[in-house]
Each structure stands twice: as structure tokens, then as C-alpha cells.
Amino acid sequence: MSRAADLPDPPPARRLLLKGALAAGALAAATPAGPAARPKAAPYVNPLVRNRADQHITRHTDGFSYFTATAPEYDRIILRRSRTLNGLGAAAESVIRRAHPTGDMGAHIRAPEMHRVGGKWYIHFAAAPAEDVWAIRIRVTYSASATDANYLMDPASWAKSPVPVFTSNDTTKQYGPGHNCFTVAEDGRTDVLVCHARQYKEIDGDPLHDPNRHTRVQTLGWKADGTPDFGVPVADGAAGEGV
């Protein structure tokens, strides 16, 4: 998980311990004053964004989290932004691309992601011809080598978990969690898992025609061996402390 576009950690000079005079209600003029403490955000409230699946959230250095996702009509790419993750649910939504009337991008516009590369924003997404919605085309360019002699396309370079790392949960009533991404909270430090899920098991008809895959977020933990601790998909409502 790359955090190159996330907010940087504040420098040590900002983490001042104010004692004595501050407790007494006065601060000597010679003492350098740090910025006001960042207020703690409210707990995340799920679903974060309703009726938006295959979501992607990235936090940029301008202090905004940018959100894009699949619309249930599969006919457009949308974009929202907010200074807080919770704010994305009510943020204004803009349409930045629509399906073509014909041709290769005439249907099934879905799963967009946005990335900043070389000072420019890029969005990649899946699309299909209007005449064959399952002929989805995706083109991705990537680097397959590490910075040493290891070759990342070599299966020996990877270890696969024998079990899924994040699954449906009857206790929390979250089903089909998927299409995850990772972002960072407003403090620039707390890692956040983003996914979509439904609140029920049984679906009438084609699952892709059911619009209730809602975007959800929860804090991502880390195990002692450095691997991510996904936990279980949290129940709707408060989804863990924000920052």
C-alpha cells in the first residue's frame, strides 16, 4: 500500500509538551507555540456512502479525501471530495465521464480509481461495448520488478493466505465485503480499510442489478509480524473511532 499521496506526518517540532506555565494559564513569550491540536473526529458511521460500490478513496496533500465509485446504473463516473471521511456521504457529487452511446465504452462503466502521477490526476475504469456488457476491457501498465534482484511476477516472491482475510459476518450483518482499497484518516497516520458490502444475504435476480452495495470504512490494524489485521466487517452505525 503506497501512502506517497497522503498527508505527511507532522515534524517532531510540532509535538511540543506544554507544561507548567500552560497549566497555570500563562505561557512565556520565549516559548515557541505549536499549532492548535487537531480535533478528534467523530466515529465513522456506516454505510459511509449509500448505493456506491467498487469505490476508491485517496487522500491528497491538499487535505481533501477524493471519492469515486460505480453508480448502480453503470453509465457514468462520479467524483466527490471532503476534508473528512464522514463528510463524503453528504458531499456534492459531480459526473466527470459518461458512457459513450456506442462502441467499446458504451456500457458497464464501473470500478474507477484515481491516482496522481507526475503531478497529474489519472482515472482508470472498466468499460464494455453496449452490445456486449461482459466484454469488459481494462488496460493497466505496471512495474513488475523490485529495486533489487527480486522479480515480483515470480510466484516465489509472494505468500498467499490459505484463507480469506476479510469475509461476510452474520454477527455484524455484513455480507459480500469486497472491492477494497486503503486510505488514510485525517490525521495522516491512521490506516483505513474501504470496502463495499450489503446488509442481507438473499438477492432477487442478478446481483449486479441490486443497488445496495454501500461503501463502508473501518480502521485497519497491524499485527506484530507487520501484516495487516483486517478484523471483521463492522456493523452499521458507528464503525470505530475517527481521528
Side-chain angles (χ1 to χ4, degrees):
M1 176 178 65
S2 173
R3 292 175 56 175
D6 296 333
L7 293 178
D9 290 340
R14 295 186 183 181
R15 297 191 287 270
L16 299 177
L17 181 62
L18 303 181
K19 300 187 286 187
L22 180 60
L27 186 63
T31 303
R38 189 185 299 272
K40 190 174 183 179
Y44 305 129
V45 178
N46 281 326
L48 182 72
V49 185
R50 291 184 175 273
N51 305 120
R52 294 291 181 265
D54 306 330
Q55 66 294 309
H56 187 261
I57 299 176
T58 184
R59 188 163 182 82
H60 186 45
T61 53
D62 63 359
F64 283 93
S65 286
Y66 290 84
F67 170 92
T68 186
T70 298
E73 297 82 7
Y74 303 104
D75 64 348
R76 64 193 185 276
I77 298 176
I78 59 89
L79 182 65
R80 303 183 185 196
R81 75 171 187 171
S82 171
R83 290 197 177 277
T84 65
L85 289 174
N86 277 335
L88 288 170
E93 187 170 280
S94 299
V95 176
I96 58 176
R97 188 180 183 92
R98 294 191 182 275
H100 293 180
T102 60
D104 287 346
M105 291 188 287
H108 256 199
I109 307 298
R110 57 187 300 188
E113 293 187 14
M114 59 184 304
H115 300 276
R116 190 166 177 83
V117 181
K120 297 181 180 180
W121 287 106
Y122 293 87
I123 293 182
H124 67 75
F125 59 95
E131 301 77 18
D132 185 1
V133 298
W134 289 114
I136 296 174
R137 291 163 170 80
I138 304 175
R139 295 181 175 87
V140 178
T141 301
Y142 60 94
S143 172
S145 296
T147 56
D148 52 23
N150 295 312
Y151 183 55
L152 298 185
M153 295 303 290
D154 182 353
S157 298
W158 298 86
K160 181 179 179 180
S161 171
V163 296
V165 297
F166 201 61
T167 63
S168 299
N169 190 280
D170 286 323
T171 301
T172 60
K173 305 298 183 185
Q174 299 295 310
Y175 301 102
H179 206 102
N180 70 292
C181 72
F182 304 97
T183 189
V184 69
E186 292 91 278
D187 65 352
R189 294 189 184 93
T190 304
D191 296 308
V192 177
L193 170 66
V194 186
C195 69
H196 66 219
R198 291 189 178 91
Q199 298 157 292
Y200 45 85
K201 288 183 178 179
E202 302 302 324
I203 302 169
D204 294 329
D206 188 334
L208 287 178
H209 294 163
D210 182 299
N212 294 316
R213 294 185 298 167
H214 307 311
T215 296
R216 293 174 163 83
V217 296
Q218 61 189 73
T219 300
L220 179 71
W222 295 91
K223 299 177 183 178
D225 64 359
T227 59
D229 185 357
F230 290 87
V232 300
V234 297
D236 285 352
E241 294 297 323
V243 290

